């Protein structure tokens, strides 16, 4: 079963982290990610740029509005993700726990919906 781990970061907490500690944590993350990939448990992972580089599109009553930055004003922002394979949610949570970023924000683990089943149900080719 696939799960997406959404990594949210509190920029204030990250700013307190010395650069050499960040580099050490990132190296550990890359090593864990490589091991997960080699074991067939990591399908994709990526860091995102800061939310200030984003734009948000909303369409209401046929009118499109584009705003700079993220949709919601929150303390934490989405910093990256991992698409992983695990037998169940508990196993996916264990994988998420192996990464340090929950100390600086949170990691949401969400099951990925079977899009092929949805395509089949709605009659999409």
């Amino acid at each position: 079963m696939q799960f997406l781990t959404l990594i949210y970061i509190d920029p204030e907490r990250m700013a307190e982290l010395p650069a050499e500690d960040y580099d050490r944590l990132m190296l550990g993350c890359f090593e864990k990610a490589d091991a997960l990939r080699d074991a067939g448990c990591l399908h994709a992972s990526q860091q995102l740029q800061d939310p200030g580089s984003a734009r948000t599109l909303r369409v209401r009553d046929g009118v499109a509005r584009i705003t700079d930055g993220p949709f919601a004003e929150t303390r934490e922002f989405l910093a990256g993700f991992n698409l992983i394979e695990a037998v169940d949610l508990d196993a996916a949570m264990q994988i998420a726990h192996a990464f340090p970023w929950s100390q600086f924000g949170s990691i949401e683990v969400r099951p990925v919906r079977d899009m092929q089943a949805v395509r089949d149900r709605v009659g999409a080719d």
Side-chain angles (χ1 to χ4, degrees):
M1 182 172 192
Q2 290 186 346
F3 296 86
L4 190 64
T5 65
L6 300 165
I7 302 161
Y8 293 90
I9 298 298
D10 179 338
E12 291 178 13
R13 290 188 55 93
M14 286 298 292
E16 297 170 356
L17 183 66
E20 60 273 4
D21 290 347
Y22 175 82
D23 290 348
R24 180 181 48 78
L25 291 171
M26 280 305 304
L27 177 59
C29 285
F30 287 134
E31 291 168 349
K32 287 176 185 141
D34 291 346
L36 288 169
R37 183 197 61 225
D38 293 345
C41 295
L42 178 66
H43 298 294
S45 62
Q46 193 62 52
Q47 288 183 311
L48 300 175
Q49 293 197 20
D50 291 336
S53 65
R55 288 189 177 167
T56 299
L57 169 66
R58 281 183 229 128
V59 178
R60 302 292 185 270
D61 299 321
V63 178
R65 292 186 180 90
I66 299 172
T67 56
D68 290 335
F71 175 75
E73 293 295 325
T74 63
R75 186 170 166 182
E76 296 177 350
F77 65 84
L78 183 60
F81 67 89
N82 296 305
L83 179 61
I84 62 173
E85 190 80 29
V87 295
D88 59 23
L89 185 56
D90 290 334
M93 291 300 295
Q94 288 178 344
I95 291 171
H97 195 267
F99 292 90
W101 306 118
S102 60
Q103 300 171 53
F104 304 96
S106 61
I107 299 177
E108 176 184 348
V109 179
R110 191 184 304 185
V112 174
R113 184 170 286 158
D114 182 349
M115 287 293 288
Q116 188 59 49
V118 176
R119 292 179 69 82
D120 293 345
R121 183 175 51 83
V122 302
D125 290 333

